[in-house]
Amino acid sequence: MKKDLHPDYHMIEVKLLDGSTYKTRSTYGSKGDTLTLEIDPSAHPAWTGGGLKLVDSGGRVSRFKKKYEGLGF
């Protein structure tokens, strides 16, 4: 096997938006570096639900629900 083929994994600290931190192994930076996130699971709408509601007036979602309403989902 070739030498130096795999990246160097080391411990870094990840800092979330709320100020909390955790340690993890990564190839980011060098040993002991801090990765400060701009978007994290505690604040991003993709993980929190975003508070947006789907508005579908007789469109694709309605047709899908009507097509499969008998399956009992």
Side-chain angles (χ1 to χ4, degrees):
M1 181 173 268
K2 294 181 182 179
K3 290 186 176 186
D4 300 324
L5 180 67
H6 296 286
D8 176 37
Y9 284 98
H10 45 269
M11 294 301 288
I12 66 164
E13 188 172 89
V14 179
K15 183 176 181 184
L16 302 176
L17 292 175
D18 63 1
S20 62
T21 61
Y22 67 91
K23 292 190 181 277
T24 188
R25 288 177 37 123
S26 176
T27 58
Y28 172 81
S30 59
K31 186 176 181 177
D33 281 353
T34 300
L35 173 63
T36 304
L37 299 180
E38 295 177 5
I39 299 173
D40 67 23
S42 66
H44 196 277
W47 290 285
T48 62
L52 298 175
K53 293 193 176 198
L54 180 64
V55 178
D56 181 46
S57 56
R60 289 182 164 190
V61 174
S62 297
R63 288 190 308 235
F64 178 84
K65 285 182 178 180
K66 184 176 180 184
K67 184 176 181 179
Y68 295 107
E69 66 188 351
L71 296 177
F73 298 138

